[in-house]
Amino acid sequence: MDKSTEDLQSELTKAKSFDEFYCRNNAELQFPSAADYLNYLLQSKNISKATLIANSNLERTYVYHILSGTKTPGRDKLIILAIAAGADIAETQNLLKYAQERPLYVRDRRDGLIYYGIDRGKILMYINETLLENNLEILQ
């Protein structure tokens, strides 16, 4: 995906027809899978799968299944993997979007604390300790 959403919106408003726009931008309109995006994050951040597994505290084979696309993790596991990969807020929200999961919502206390931790570059252990201190369910 090389074009920004704003670029695509501009092209769409100028297109003679939707079909023309779609044919010209078909590759740009496809969402990657959550597994594809997670692998992209690892590559772009130069993080090994072993480091991701160590940072996530998830079972090794389970993470490999997620990365290969054979397992579909739930929302909390995706957030854990985003944190373990050192993803920022935008990257975390994208991962959740590509997995068709609800984005982090700051009006929700638990989501807000997770958001705050990710925004500050905190590790999973810190975020879970903060959740526990606030009597909220940890990420697991």
Side-chain angles (χ1 to χ4, degrees):
M1 294 191 289
D2 295 326
K3 296 180 182 178
S4 70
T5 302
E6 292 78 20
D7 290 341
L8 290 170
Q9 287 172 339
S10 176
E11 282 187 41
L12 180 58
T13 59
K14 295 174 185 171
K16 294 177 184 169
S17 72
F18 181 78
D19 288 338
E20 172 196 336
F21 166 79
Y22 187 80
C23 287
R24 214 172 348 144
N25 293 292
N26 186 31
E28 292 287 331
L29 301 174
Q30 303 300 317
F31 277 144
S33 69
D36 289 340
Y37 189 71
L38 191 53
N39 281 296
Y40 162 79
L41 284 177
L42 293 179
Q43 182 181 2
S44 68
K45 294 179 176 298
N46 199 28
I47 294 174
S48 69
K49 292 175 182 176
T51 300
L52 177 74
I53 292 165
N55 292 347
S56 71
N57 293 325
L58 297 174
E59 206 277 321
R60 183 180 65 81
T61 55
Y62 179 65
V63 175
Y64 277 109
H65 285 297
I66 292 169
L67 292 171
S68 71
T70 57
K71 292 268 187 200
T72 305
R75 185 173 183 265
D76 276 9
K77 297 286 193 280
L78 289 165
I79 294 168
I80 289 170
L81 290 168
I83 294 165
D88 62 22
I89 287 297
E91 293 163 336
T92 302
Q93 299 289 48
N94 280 337
L95 180 60
L96 292 170
K97 175 175 61 176
Y98 298 147
Q100 299 178 351
E101 291 287 349
R102 180 175 57 85
L104 289 170
Y105 184 60
V106 297
R107 289 182 186 260
D108 176 275
R109 184 165 173 76
R110 180 175 185 261
D111 277 8
L113 285 169
I114 294 167
Y115 188 106
Y116 182 86
I118 292 170
D119 188 54
R120 301 296 188 285
K122 301 299 184 183
I123 62 171
L124 179 61
M125 187 172 61
Y126 174 88
I127 292 171
N128 274 340
E129 286 174 1
T130 304
L131 290 168
L132 276 175
E133 289 169 3
N134 286 274
N135 298 315
L136 296 167
E137 184 181 336
I138 64 169
L139 291 164
Q140 53 185 351

